């Protein structure tokens, strides 16, 4: 299983591409890693989508129990491959072993969470599940029918169920080679919903993608499911990715990545003769509000935890706290002094790819050149070819403009010095949509912030720091544009399944 071949997974076949050749690069050393992978083209997209369409009706009709067992089988295979997966992912991403081992567990845990949801729904006690016994009320994969209009004499009963949309295209992310990649949240939720999946693997970790893709394909075969339930292709976004989104058999898209790529995918989906939904997580700076009471009591402790969150994983998290608002004064000065010392002590870390490292350096360079921004501290130069040197910057609120809202993907954060809470709230009202917003402090000031943050972000934290997203039923990993393309959804937690289903009412249909 561990021997890499450089091939795509199309149904049960292993297919070598004929397009541009790529290879992973170890960001710590710059070493090019074997094997070579070649991009697919129109033929591979058409074959994968045709298989997915052929598989759809049979897969959507499977019972909740059968899909649950399938998801658990994928999880079991990944658990058994943990050591192999982690070693390859370390070479391709530069991420540490403990982080990647935990990420595999998170990925398998999410698969099992969805499996438990499906099983619970089978007896009518949860949101998701198979159809009513005769197969008419729930369309095969959507949840038990719910009576919303009880029948009276001469009045037909109206029940509601959910049906899967159809084949789903999933785009893997660079920064989570397991949890937001081939078998990550988008794939798991689409499969749980009853939808076949075609994944576009990420160029940053192609070997890791191959290992996971083969494990999922083997689970499909062993479960006796149609081969088109899962495929995985290699190719660049502007060509193969757009072809995949534009294929008429694809009915929805899950994406995690840059705003530029996400908007290109959303445009391609909207320009189709029959547009389809795109659930894209794209951009967030995750503002933090440090209120005076918290700063006065815990400036040093807050600074240490803040820098730990900023520099975690070289700052390569979509929930990285890239923006802080706080009131001017001695307490803020103490916080900034402690934070600067912590940043200067940070040893740095490799970034995921040389391209990401270059983009990070360019982003910090923009801050350094900004006439109103002061760089308070820089971390140490890391011992890596594609390294991240942490950065802490500060600006006064009156000079905070839209250009300073742009996400810098990496261990960089900007502190905005405000005159008072009113000024901070005014700036918060002008921010773009965010995945998270964090408040440290309490009392009337915090109460005033809450309704503003409810309009701003998908997850609000009272204390703590936003890096790290717990997988659970109540979690929301989403937010207003441009954090995501649809603020009504989440890509983490059981509610994610509903993205790939739609409601259907059954009026007078026999149970």
């Amino acid at each position: 299983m561990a021997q890499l071949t450089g091939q795509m997974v199309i149904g049960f076949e292993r297919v070598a591409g004929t397009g541009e050749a790529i290879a992973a690069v170890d960001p710590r050393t710059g070493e090019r890693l074997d094997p070579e992978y070649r991009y697919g083209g129109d033929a591979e997209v058409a074959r994968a989508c045709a298989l997915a369409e052929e598989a759809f009706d049979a897969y959507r009709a499977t019972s909740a129990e059968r899909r649950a067992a399938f998801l658990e089988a994928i999880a079991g295979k990944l658990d058994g491959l943990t050591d192999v997966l982690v070693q390859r992912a370390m070479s391709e991403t530069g991420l540490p072993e403990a982080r990647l081992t935990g990420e595999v567990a998170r990925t398998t845990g999410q698969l099992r969470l969805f499996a438990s949801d499906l099983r619970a729904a089978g007896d009518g006690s949860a949101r998701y599940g198979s159809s009513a016994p005769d197969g008419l009320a729930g369309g095969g994969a959507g949840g038990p029918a719910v009576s919303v209009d009880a029948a009276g004499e001469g009045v037909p009963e109206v029940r509601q169920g959910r049906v899967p949309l159809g084949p789903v295209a999933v785009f893997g992310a660079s920064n989570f080679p397991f949890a937001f990649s081939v078998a990550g949240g988008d794939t798991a939720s689409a499969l749980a919903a009853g939808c076949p999946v075609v994944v576009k693997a990420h160029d940053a970790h192609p070997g890791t993608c191959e290992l996971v893709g083969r494990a999922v394909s083997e689970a499909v075969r062993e479960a006796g499911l149609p081969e088109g339930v899962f495929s995985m292709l290699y190719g660049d976004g502007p060509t193969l990715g757009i072809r995949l989104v534009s294929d008429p058999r694809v009915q929805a898209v899950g994406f995690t990545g840059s705003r530029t790529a996400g908007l290109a995918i959303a445009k391609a989906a909207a320009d189709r003769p029959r547009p389809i939904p795109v659930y894209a997580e794209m951009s967030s700076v995750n503002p933090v509000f440090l209120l005076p009471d918290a700063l006065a009591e815990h400036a040093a402790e807050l600074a240490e935890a803040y820098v730990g969150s900023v520099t975690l994983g070289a700052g390569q998290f979509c929930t990285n706290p890239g923006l802080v608002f706080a009131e001017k004064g001695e307490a803020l000065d103490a916080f900034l002094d402690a934070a600067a010392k912590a940043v200067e002590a940070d040893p740095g870390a490799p970034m995921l790819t040389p391209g990401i490292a270059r983009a990070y350096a360019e982003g910090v360079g923009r801050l350094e050149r900004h006439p109103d921004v002061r760089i308070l501290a820089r971390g140490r130069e890391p011992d890596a070819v594609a390294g991240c040197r942490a950065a802490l910057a500060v600006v006064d609120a009156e000079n905070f403009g839209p250009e300073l809202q742009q996400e810098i993907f990496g261990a960089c954060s900007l502190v905005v010095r405000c005159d008072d809470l009113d000024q901070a709230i005014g700036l918060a009202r002008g921010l773009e949509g965010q995945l998270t917003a964090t408040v440290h402090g309490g009392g009337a000031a915090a109460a005033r912030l809450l309704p503003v943050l409810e309009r701003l972000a998908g997850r609000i934290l009272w204390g703590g720091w936003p890096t790290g997203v717990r997988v659970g039923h109540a979690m929301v990993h989403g937010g207003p544009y441009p954090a995501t393309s649809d603020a009504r959804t989440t890509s983490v937690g059981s509610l994610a399944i509903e993205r790939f289903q739609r409601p259907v009412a059954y009026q007078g249909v026999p149970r």
Side-chain angles (χ1 to χ4, degrees), residues 328 372-374 394-401 404 414-419 423 427:
K328 297 174 183 175
D372 300 310
V373 173
R374 181 161 57 100
V394 65
V395 68
D396 287 333
E398 56 266 28
N399 298 318
F400 179 74
L404 295 178
L414 174 68
V415 178
V416 183
R417 294 165 18 104
C418 300
D419 294 331
Q423 190 174 45
L427 292 178

Side-chain angles (χ1 to χ4, degrees), residues 6-324:
Q7 294 175 308
M8 292 176 278
V9 176
I10 302 181
F12 295 151
E13 294 183 68
R14 306 296 179 260
V15 179
T18 57
E20 178 185 344
I22 63 163
V25 174
D26 189 328
R28 301 165 296 187
T29 64
E31 175 190 2
R32 187 177 172 91
L33 303 174
D34 290 331
E36 179 179 87
Y37 291 82
R38 289 191 173 273
Y39 286 164
D42 288 348
E44 288 76 23
V45 170
R47 177 62 176 155
C49 291
L51 285 173
E53 178 63 24
E54 291 169 11
F56 177 49
D57 282 336
Y59 185 58
R60 72 188 288 264
T62 55
S63 67
E65 171 57 38
R66 192 173 181 194
R67 286 202 310 284
F70 169 50
L71 295 179
E72 289 173 338
I74 298 172
K77 285 186 174 295
L78 297 182
D79 282 340
L81 287 169
T82 296
D83 290 344
V84 173
L85 293 172
V86 167
Q87 290 304 310
R88 179 66 188 193
M90 287 173 62
S91 297
E92 292 186 322
T93 67
L95 295 171
E97 182 175 6
R99 148 75 193 272
L100 290 168
T101 301
E103 192 183 328
V104 174
R106 169 192 165 138
T107 305
T108 60
Q110 183 158 251
L111 287 159
R112 292 188 173 101
L113 174 71
F114 292 164
S116 69
D117 277 1
L118 288 168
R119 284 206 174 89
D123 62 13
S125 62
R127 182 180 298 116
Y128 312 106
S130 62
S131 66
D134 60 6
L136 291 174
V146 179
S147 176
V148 294
D149 186 5
E153 186 175 349
V155 178
E157 180 187 56
V158 177
R159 303 189 305 279
Q160 186 185 102
R162 302 187 67 84
V163 299
L165 297 179
V168 173
V170 170
F171 289 72
S174 63
N175 59 335
F176 282 89
F178 303 114
F180 285 90
S181 193
V182 174
D186 287 339
T187 296
S189 54
L191 292 174
C195 299
V197 171
V198 180
V199 173
K200 192 197 88 63
H202 201 285
D203 286 3
H205 44 266
T208 305
C209 289
E210 182 187 346
L211 291 169
V212 176
R214 283 159 45 185
V216 177
S217 179
E218 288 176 7
V220 174
R221 185 195 295 272
E222 291 171 11
L225 296 170
E227 64 172 323
V229 166
F230 176 82
S231 292
M232 185 192 72
L233 307 175
Y234 294 96
D236 73 344
T239 51
L240 182 139
I242 296 301
R243 288 170 185 155
L244 181 57
V245 172
S246 303
D247 190 286
R249 290 159 291 206
V250 169
Q251 296 302 304
V253 179
F255 169 86
T256 301
S258 71
R259 189 188 307 191
T260 300
L263 292 180
I265 288 168
K267 183 179 186 303
D271 287 347
R272 291 170 40 140
R274 294 184 180 181
I276 58 173
V278 173
Y279 301 107
E281 180 207 308
M282 298 181 290
S283 179
S284 186
V285 291
N286 307 294
V288 177
F289 297 83
L290 301 178
L291 301 181
D293 61 328
L295 277 177
E297 296 179 21
H298 307 293
E301 296 92 331
L302 286 170
E304 182 178 359
Y306 161 60
V307 173
S309 183
V310 169
T311 58
L312 182 67
Q316 298 170 116
F317 290 90
C318 50
T319 53
N320 197 50
L323 202 56
V324 174

